[in-house]
Short mmCIF file of all heavy atoms in Angstrom, two decimals:
data_model
loop_
_atom_site.label_atom_id
_atom_site.label_comp_id
_atom_site.label_asym_id
_atom_site.label_seq_id
_atom_site.Cartn_x
_atom_site.Cartn_y
_atom_site.Cartn_z
N GLY A 171 -161.46 94.99 -36.35
CA GLY A 171 -162.22 94.77 -35.11
C GLY A 171 -163.40 95.71 -35.03
O GLY A 171 -163.44 96.73 -35.74
N PRO A 172 -164.40 95.39 -34.16
CA PRO A 172 -165.56 96.27 -33.98
C PRO A 172 -165.09 97.68 -33.62
O PRO A 172 -164.30 97.86 -32.70
CB PRO A 172 -166.33 95.63 -32.82
CG PRO A 172 -165.76 94.26 -32.67
CD PRO A 172 -164.40 94.25 -33.26
N THR A 173 -165.57 98.67 -34.37
CA THR A 173 -164.95 100.01 -34.32
C THR A 173 -165.90 101.05 -33.75
O THR A 173 -167.08 101.09 -34.09
CB THR A 173 -164.54 100.43 -35.76
OG1 THR A 173 -163.68 99.43 -36.28
CG2 THR A 173 -163.85 101.79 -35.78
N THR A 174 -165.34 101.92 -32.88
CA THR A 174 -166.06 103.09 -32.37
C THR A 174 -165.28 104.33 -32.77
O THR A 174 -164.07 104.42 -32.56
CB THR A 174 -166.15 103.05 -30.82
OG1 THR A 174 -166.84 101.85 -30.44
CG2 THR A 174 -166.91 104.26 -30.28
N LEU A 175 -165.97 105.29 -33.37
CA LEU A 175 -165.36 106.58 -33.72
C LEU A 175 -165.72 107.58 -32.62
O LEU A 175 -166.89 107.89 -32.40
CB LEU A 175 -165.88 107.06 -35.08
CG LEU A 175 -165.51 108.49 -35.49
CD1 LEU A 175 -163.99 108.70 -35.53
CD2 LEU A 175 -166.11 108.81 -36.87
N LEU A 176 -164.68 108.08 -31.91
CA LEU A 176 -164.87 109.09 -30.87
C LEU A 176 -164.59 110.44 -31.50
O LEU A 176 -163.43 110.76 -31.81
CB LEU A 176 -163.92 108.81 -29.69
CG LEU A 176 -164.15 107.44 -29.03
CD1 LEU A 176 -162.92 106.57 -29.15
CD2 LEU A 176 -164.58 107.59 -27.59
N THR A 177 -165.63 111.23 -31.76
CA THR A 177 -165.45 112.45 -32.54
C THR A 177 -164.71 113.53 -31.75
O THR A 177 -164.01 114.36 -32.33
CB THR A 177 -166.79 113.01 -33.05
OG1 THR A 177 -167.64 113.20 -31.92
CG2 THR A 177 -167.44 112.06 -34.04
N ASP A 178 -164.85 113.53 -30.43
CA ASP A 178 -164.06 114.38 -29.53
C ASP A 178 -163.98 115.83 -30.01
O ASP A 178 -162.93 116.47 -29.89
CB ASP A 178 -162.65 113.79 -29.37
CG ASP A 178 -161.92 114.40 -28.17
OD1 ASP A 178 -162.61 114.80 -27.20
OD2 ASP A 178 -160.69 114.49 -28.22
N ALA A 179 -165.06 116.35 -30.54
CA ALA A 179 -165.14 117.76 -30.98
C ALA A 179 -164.15 118.11 -32.10
O ALA A 179 -164.05 119.26 -32.51
CB ALA A 179 -164.95 118.73 -29.81
N ALA A 180 -163.42 117.11 -32.62
CA ALA A 180 -162.45 117.38 -33.69
C ALA A 180 -163.06 117.10 -35.05
O ALA A 180 -162.44 117.42 -36.08
CB ALA A 180 -161.21 116.52 -33.49
N LEU A 181 -164.23 116.48 -35.07
CA LEU A 181 -164.81 116.02 -36.34
C LEU A 181 -166.32 116.18 -36.26
O LEU A 181 -166.95 115.76 -35.28
CB LEU A 181 -164.43 114.54 -36.53
CG LEU A 181 -164.95 113.82 -37.75
CD1 LEU A 181 -164.37 114.42 -39.02
CD2 LEU A 181 -164.56 112.33 -37.67
N THR A 182 -166.90 116.79 -37.29
CA THR A 182 -168.36 116.91 -37.39
C THR A 182 -168.82 116.01 -38.51
O THR A 182 -168.27 116.07 -39.62
CB THR A 182 -168.76 118.37 -37.69
OG1 THR A 182 -168.07 119.21 -36.77
CG2 THR A 182 -170.25 118.57 -37.53
N LEU A 183 -169.78 115.15 -38.24
CA LEU A 183 -170.23 114.17 -39.23
C LEU A 183 -171.52 114.65 -39.88
O LEU A 183 -172.48 115.00 -39.18
CB LEU A 183 -170.48 112.83 -38.54
CG LEU A 183 -169.26 112.20 -37.86
CD1 LEU A 183 -169.68 111.00 -37.02
CD2 LEU A 183 -168.23 111.79 -38.91
N ASP A 184 -171.54 114.65 -41.21
CA ASP A 184 -172.80 114.97 -41.89
C ASP A 184 -173.62 113.69 -42.04
O ASP A 184 -173.17 112.60 -41.67
CB ASP A 184 -172.55 115.67 -43.23
CG ASP A 184 -171.77 114.79 -44.22
OD1 ASP A 184 -171.73 113.55 -44.02
OD2 ASP A 184 -171.21 115.36 -45.18
N ALA A 185 -174.84 113.84 -42.59
CA ALA A 185 -175.77 112.70 -42.65
C ALA A 185 -175.19 111.57 -43.49
O ALA A 185 -175.31 110.39 -43.13
CB ALA A 185 -177.12 113.17 -43.22
N ALA A 186 -174.51 111.92 -44.60
CA ALA A 186 -173.96 110.87 -45.48
C ALA A 186 -172.87 110.08 -44.74
O ALA A 186 -172.80 108.85 -44.83
CB ALA A 186 -173.38 111.52 -46.74
N ALA A 187 -172.04 110.79 -43.97
CA ALA A 187 -170.98 110.11 -43.22
C ALA A 187 -171.59 109.19 -42.16
O ALA A 187 -171.13 108.05 -41.97
CB ALA A 187 -170.05 111.14 -42.57
N ARG A 188 -172.62 109.67 -41.51
CA ARG A 188 -173.28 108.84 -40.48
C ARG A 188 -173.88 107.57 -41.10
O ARG A 188 -173.76 106.47 -40.53
CB ARG A 188 -174.37 109.63 -39.75
CG ARG A 188 -173.81 110.66 -38.80
CD ARG A 188 -174.93 111.45 -38.10
NE ARG A 188 -174.36 112.62 -37.48
CZ ARG A 188 -173.78 112.63 -36.28
NH1 ARG A 188 -173.74 111.52 -35.56
NH2 ARG A 188 -173.25 113.73 -35.80
N ARG A 189 -174.51 107.72 -42.25
CA ARG A 189 -175.09 106.55 -42.94
C ARG A 189 -173.99 105.57 -43.33
O ARG A 189 -174.13 104.36 -43.15
CB ARG A 189 -175.85 106.99 -44.21
CG ARG A 189 -177.31 107.32 -43.96
CD ARG A 189 -178.11 107.36 -45.28
NE ARG A 189 -177.50 108.24 -46.29
CZ ARG A 189 -177.69 109.56 -46.34
NH1 ARG A 189 -178.49 110.15 -45.47
NH2 ARG A 189 -177.11 110.29 -47.27
N ASP A 190 -172.90 106.10 -43.85
CA ASP A 190 -171.79 105.24 -44.28
C ASP A 190 -171.22 104.47 -43.10
O ASP A 190 -170.97 103.26 -43.18
CB ASP A 190 -170.70 106.08 -44.95
CG ASP A 190 -169.56 105.21 -45.45
OD1 ASP A 190 -168.65 104.91 -44.67
OD2 ASP A 190 -169.61 104.80 -46.63
N LEU A 191 -171.00 105.17 -41.99
CA LEU A 191 -170.44 104.51 -40.80
C LEU A 191 -171.40 103.45 -40.28
O LEU A 191 -170.98 102.34 -39.92
CB LEU A 191 -170.14 105.56 -39.71
CG LEU A 191 -168.98 106.51 -40.02
CD1 LEU A 191 -168.95 107.66 -39.03
CD2 LEU A 191 -167.64 105.76 -40.02
N ALA A 192 -172.69 103.78 -40.26
CA ALA A 192 -173.68 102.81 -39.77
C ALA A 192 -173.68 101.56 -40.63
O ALA A 192 -173.73 100.43 -40.12
CB ALA A 192 -175.07 103.45 -39.74
N ALA A 193 -173.56 101.76 -41.96
CA ALA A 193 -173.57 100.60 -42.88
C ALA A 193 -172.35 99.72 -42.64
O ALA A 193 -172.39 98.50 -42.89
CB ALA A 193 -173.59 101.10 -44.32
N ARG A 194 -171.25 100.32 -42.17
CA ARG A 194 -170.03 99.54 -41.88
C ARG A 194 -170.02 99.01 -40.44
O ARG A 194 -169.03 98.41 -40.01
CB ARG A 194 -168.79 100.40 -42.10
CG ARG A 194 -168.58 100.82 -43.53
CD ARG A 194 -167.47 101.85 -43.65
NE ARG A 194 -167.50 102.52 -44.94
CZ ARG A 194 -166.89 102.06 -46.04
NH1 ARG A 194 -166.16 100.96 -45.97
NH2 ARG A 194 -166.99 102.70 -47.18
N GLY A 195 -171.07 99.31 -39.67
CA GLY A 195 -171.14 98.83 -38.29
C GLY A 195 -170.29 99.62 -37.33
O GLY A 195 -169.97 99.16 -36.23
N VAL A 196 -169.89 100.85 -37.72
CA VAL A 196 -169.05 101.68 -36.84
C VAL A 196 -169.95 102.47 -35.88
O VAL A 196 -170.85 103.18 -36.32
CB VAL A 196 -168.19 102.66 -37.66
CG1 VAL A 196 -167.39 103.60 -36.75
CG2 VAL A 196 -167.25 101.90 -38.59
N ALA A 197 -169.70 102.33 -34.57
CA ALA A 197 -170.43 103.11 -33.57
C ALA A 197 -169.82 104.50 -33.47
O ALA A 197 -168.62 104.68 -33.69
CB ALA A 197 -170.36 102.41 -32.21
N VAL A 198 -170.66 105.49 -33.17
CA VAL A 198 -170.16 106.88 -33.03
C VAL A 198 -170.39 107.33 -31.59
O VAL A 198 -171.47 107.15 -31.03
CB VAL A 198 -170.89 107.83 -34.00
CG1 VAL A 198 -170.47 109.28 -33.76
CG2 VAL A 198 -170.61 107.43 -35.45
N GLU A 199 -169.34 107.88 -30.97
CA GLU A 199 -169.43 108.39 -29.59
C GLU A 199 -169.02 109.86 -29.63
O GLU A 199 -167.88 110.18 -30.00
CB GLU A 199 -168.49 107.59 -28.68
CG GLU A 199 -168.40 108.10 -27.26
CD GLU A 199 -169.74 108.12 -26.55
OE1 GLU A 199 -170.28 107.04 -26.25
OE2 GLU A 199 -170.26 109.23 -26.31
N GLU A 200 -169.96 110.74 -29.28
CA GLU A 200 -169.68 112.18 -29.41
C GLU A 200 -169.33 112.87 -28.10
O GLU A 200 -168.98 114.05 -28.08
CB GLU A 200 -170.86 112.87 -30.10
CG GLU A 200 -170.90 112.46 -31.58
CD GLU A 200 -172.14 112.94 -32.34
OE1 GLU A 200 -173.26 112.61 -31.91
OE2 GLU A 200 -171.96 113.63 -33.35
N THR A 201 -169.38 112.13 -27.00
CA THR A 201 -168.97 112.72 -25.71
C THR A 201 -167.46 112.97 -25.74
O THR A 201 -166.70 112.10 -26.17
CB THR A 201 -169.31 111.74 -24.56
OG1 THR A 201 -170.66 111.32 -24.70
CG2 THR A 201 -169.10 112.38 -23.20
N PRO A 202 -167.02 114.14 -25.32
CA PRO A 202 -165.57 114.42 -25.37
C PRO A 202 -164.74 113.41 -24.57
O PRO A 202 -165.21 112.84 -23.60
CB PRO A 202 -165.47 115.83 -24.76
CG PRO A 202 -166.81 116.44 -24.98
CD PRO A 202 -167.81 115.31 -24.89
N VAL A 203 -163.51 113.23 -25.04
CA VAL A 203 -162.56 112.33 -24.38
C VAL A 203 -161.82 113.11 -23.30
O VAL A 203 -161.23 114.16 -23.58
CB VAL A 203 -161.57 111.76 -25.43
CG1 VAL A 203 -160.46 110.96 -24.75
CG2 VAL A 203 -162.30 110.92 -26.46
N ALA A 204 -161.82 112.56 -22.07
CA ALA A 204 -161.12 113.26 -20.96
C ALA A 204 -159.69 112.75 -20.81
O ALA A 204 -158.81 113.48 -20.37
CB ALA A 204 -161.89 113.06 -19.66
N GLY A 205 -159.47 111.48 -21.17
CA GLY A 205 -158.12 110.94 -21.04
C GLY A 205 -158.11 109.44 -21.27
O GLY A 205 -159.14 108.84 -21.54
N LEU A 206 -156.90 108.86 -21.17
CA LEU A 206 -156.74 107.42 -21.34
C LEU A 206 -156.21 106.83 -20.05
O LEU A 206 -155.43 107.47 -19.33
CB LEU A 206 -155.75 107.12 -22.47
CG LEU A 206 -156.04 107.74 -23.84
CD1 LEU A 206 -155.04 107.22 -24.87
CD2 LEU A 206 -157.46 107.45 -24.28
N GLU A 207 -156.62 105.59 -19.77
CA GLU A 207 -156.02 104.87 -18.64
C GLU A 207 -155.88 103.40 -19.00
O GLU A 207 -156.37 102.95 -20.04
CB GLU A 207 -156.82 105.09 -17.34
CG GLU A 207 -158.24 104.59 -17.38
CD GLU A 207 -159.01 104.90 -16.08
OE1 GLU A 207 -158.68 105.91 -15.40
OE2 GLU A 207 -159.91 104.13 -15.76
N ASP A 208 -155.21 102.66 -18.12
CA ASP A 208 -154.89 101.24 -18.37
C ASP A 208 -154.23 101.10 -19.75
O ASP A 208 -153.54 101.99 -20.21
CB ASP A 208 -156.13 100.35 -18.25
CG ASP A 208 -156.78 100.47 -16.87
OD1 ASP A 208 -156.05 100.75 -15.91
OD2 ASP A 208 -158.01 100.32 -16.79
N GLU A 209 -154.48 99.95 -20.39
CA GLU A 209 -153.85 99.70 -21.69
C GLU A 209 -154.41 100.68 -22.74
O GLU A 209 -153.67 101.47 -23.30
CB GLU A 209 -154.20 98.24 -22.04
CG GLU A 209 -153.33 97.40 -22.91
CD GLU A 209 -151.83 97.52 -22.80
OE1 GLU A 209 -151.27 97.72 -21.70
OE2 GLU A 209 -151.24 97.41 -23.87
N ALA A 210 -155.72 100.61 -22.96
CA ALA A 210 -156.35 101.44 -24.01
C ALA A 210 -157.80 101.73 -23.63
O ALA A 210 -158.71 101.54 -24.41
CB ALA A 210 -156.28 100.72 -25.35
N THR A 211 -158.00 102.19 -22.39
CA THR A 211 -159.34 102.54 -21.93
C THR A 211 -159.52 104.05 -22.06
O THR A 211 -158.69 104.82 -21.59
CB THR A 211 -159.55 102.10 -20.46
OG1 THR A 211 -159.47 100.68 -20.41
CG2 THR A 211 -160.91 102.56 -19.93
N VAL A 212 -160.63 104.43 -22.73
CA VAL A 212 -160.95 105.84 -22.91
C VAL A 212 -161.87 106.28 -21.77
O VAL A 212 -162.90 105.64 -21.53
CB VAL A 212 -161.64 106.08 -24.27
CG1 VAL A 212 -162.11 107.53 -24.40
CG2 VAL A 212 -160.69 105.73 -25.41
N VAL A 213 -161.49 107.33 -21.08
CA VAL A 213 -162.34 107.94 -20.06
C VAL A 213 -163.04 109.12 -20.71
O VAL A 213 -162.39 110.02 -21.24
CB VAL A 213 -161.51 108.41 -18.84
CG1 VAL A 213 -162.44 108.97 -17.75
CG2 VAL A 213 -160.65 107.28 -18.31
N LEU A 214 -164.39 109.09 -20.71
CA LEU A 214 -165.16 110.18 -21.32
C LEU A 214 -165.43 111.27 -20.29
O LEU A 214 -165.34 111.04 -19.07
CB LEU A 214 -166.47 109.64 -21.89
CG LEU A 214 -166.31 108.59 -23.00
CD1 LEU A 214 -167.66 108.00 -23.39
CD2 LEU A 214 -165.62 109.19 -24.22
N SER A 215 -165.78 112.46 -20.78
CA SER A 215 -165.96 113.61 -19.87
C SER A 215 -167.15 113.40 -18.93
O SER A 215 -167.22 114.05 -17.89
CB SER A 215 -166.13 114.90 -20.67
OG SER A 215 -167.31 114.83 -21.43
N ASP A 216 -168.08 112.48 -19.29
CA ASP A 216 -169.20 112.21 -18.37
C ASP A 216 -168.87 111.07 -17.40
O ASP A 216 -169.74 110.59 -16.69
CB ASP A 216 -170.48 111.90 -19.17
CG ASP A 216 -170.33 110.66 -20.06
OD1 ASP A 216 -169.31 109.93 -19.93
OD2 ASP A 216 -171.22 110.44 -20.90
N GLY A 217 -167.61 110.61 -17.40
CA GLY A 217 -167.17 109.61 -16.44
C GLY A 217 -167.25 108.17 -16.94
O GLY A 217 -166.68 107.27 -16.33
N ARG A 218 -167.90 107.97 -18.08
CA ARG A 218 -167.97 106.59 -18.61
C ARG A 218 -166.59 106.14 -19.09
O ARG A 218 -165.77 106.95 -19.51
CB ARG A 218 -168.96 106.51 -19.79
CG ARG A 218 -170.42 106.43 -19.33
CD ARG A 218 -171.35 106.33 -20.53
NE ARG A 218 -171.26 107.51 -21.36
CZ ARG A 218 -171.23 107.50 -22.70
NH1 ARG A 218 -171.29 106.35 -23.36
NH2 ARG A 218 -171.16 108.64 -23.36
#
Side-chain angles (χ1 to χ4, degrees):
T173 304
T174 301
L175 171 58
L176 299 118
T177 56
D178 196 29
L181 178 65
T182 311
L183 299 171
D184 62 19
R188 286 179 195 276
R189 271 196 307 276
D190 182 274
L191 291 168
R194 294 171 195 273
V196 176
V198 175
E199 175 59 69
E200 289 172 303
T201 310
V203 173
L206 305 186
E207 62 183 28
D208 302 331
E209 207 38 36
T211 296
V212 174
V213 183
L214 299 173
S215 64
D216 61 10
R218 280 181 297 139

